[in-house]
Amino acid sequence: MNTSRNDLKWELGLGTVKEITNVRKALGQTDWQQTTISEADTLEVRQYYKLIREDRLSVQEAILAIANARTGTAAEFQNDNIDENAIDHSEHRDAQEETNELVFAVQTATTEAALAMTDVGAGAAAVAVDAFFVSLGSNVAEQLHSRSANIRSNFKQVVQAVQDAPLDLRNGSLPGKKTEPQKRITGAWG
C-alpha cells in the first residue's frame, strides 16, 4: 500500500515534504523524488524518525541502523545508495521555507480577521437597518402628527381673522328673496 509524502509529513509532524524527500534520498531510496512512497520505504522513514526522536541517535547512526536492519528483500534491495549528506545536519530550516510559512500564517490570520469583521459588520448592519426603519417610521408619524396639528392651528388663525374682520355688506347680497330697489321719485323736493 502506497502512502503520499504529504500524508506522511502530517503523520510525523514535519514542516515540509522536503524533509521526507531528504530522508528518503539519504536512505538511498531510488524513487525518493516520487510523491507516493512504497510501504517498505514508508516503514524506513518512520523508523528513521523514531530513532532520531525517541532513541536520540545522530543522523549518521540512524541511517546506519536502518541500513543494517535491511533484510535483503526485493523492496529493500533497490535502496543501496545511502547518502547521509542529503540531510541537513545543521537541523535548521532554510530561510525561504521560514519566510513562506510566515507569509502563509499572516495571510491566514488576515483572511480570518477579514471574515470575522465581515460577520461583525453584517450583525451591526442588521441592527442599524432595523434601527433606521424604526426611527424612520417613528419620525414620519411624528412629523405627520405635527404637520396636522400645525395645519389645524393655522386654520384656526384664519378662522379667527375672518371672525374678527369687520363685515361690510354694502355691496353684498344676502341669500333669500331679492328685493327690487325702491324707486325714488325725484322731484322738486328731492
Side-chain angles (χ1 to χ4, degrees):
M1 178 175 149
N2 291 341
T3 307
S4 76
R5 288 187 299 187
N6 204 27
D7 291 343
L8 191 57
K9 174 192 87 161
W10 289 109
E11 176 188 330
L12 297 172
L14 302 174
T16 63
V17 174
K18 180 180 177 184
E19 295 177 46
I20 291 176
T21 304
N22 289 341
V23 168
R24 293 189 67 213
K25 184 177 180 184
L27 291 172
Q29 296 177 356
T30 55
D31 60 349
W32 59 270
Q33 292 177 325
Q34 299 298 319
T35 57
T36 57
I37 308 170
S38 68
E39 188 174 355
D41 291 349
T42 302
L43 291 174
E44 283 188 350
V45 171
R46 287 183 183 131
Q47 181 64 26
Y48 170 81
Y49 279 103
K50 179 188 175 295
L51 292 172
I52 296 291
R53 293 174 177 169
E54 295 174 16
D55 297 344
R56 303 278 185 204
L57 296 180
S58 69
V59 173
Q60 294 87 357
E61 291 172 336
I63 291 172
L64 186 59
I66 291 172
N68 286 337
R70 287 181 177 160
T71 60
T73 62
E76 294 174 345
F77 179 72
Q78 65 177 350
N79 302 332
D80 58 358
N81 298 319
I82 293 176
D83 179 12
E84 69 180 44
N85 294 325
I87 298 176
D88 182 12
H89 297 289
S90 67
E91 297 182 13
H92 295 296
R93 297 163 75 169
D94 65 337
Q96 182 63 37
E97 189 175 322
E98 293 292 333
T99 303
N100 288 345
E101 279 193 41
L102 180 62
V103 168
F104 180 71
V106 169
Q107 286 174 340
T108 302
T110 304
T111 302
E112 290 301 319
L115 291 173
M117 289 307 296
T118 301
D119 293 343
V120 168
V127 171
V129 168
D130 288 344
F132 170 75
F133 281 116
V134 167
S135 176
L136 177 66
S138 176
N139 285 327
V140 166
E142 176 64 29
Q143 290 295 323
L144 288 173
H145 289 303
S146 175
R147 185 67 53 97
S148 65
N150 287 341
I151 289 172
R152 187 147 195 187
S153 169
N154 289 341
F155 276 109
K156 280 184 182 179
Q157 291 174 358
V158 171
V159 169
Q160 190 64 37
V162 168
Q163 288 174 350
D164 292 344
L167 195 54
D168 184 11
L169 297 175
R170 288 180 286 193
N171 294 327
S173 64
L174 295 173
K177 187 174 176 186
K178 235 178 181 183
T179 57
E180 293 285 327
Q182 289 184 351
K183 290 190 180 182
R184 255 182 150 171
I185 302 172
T186 58
W189 298 282

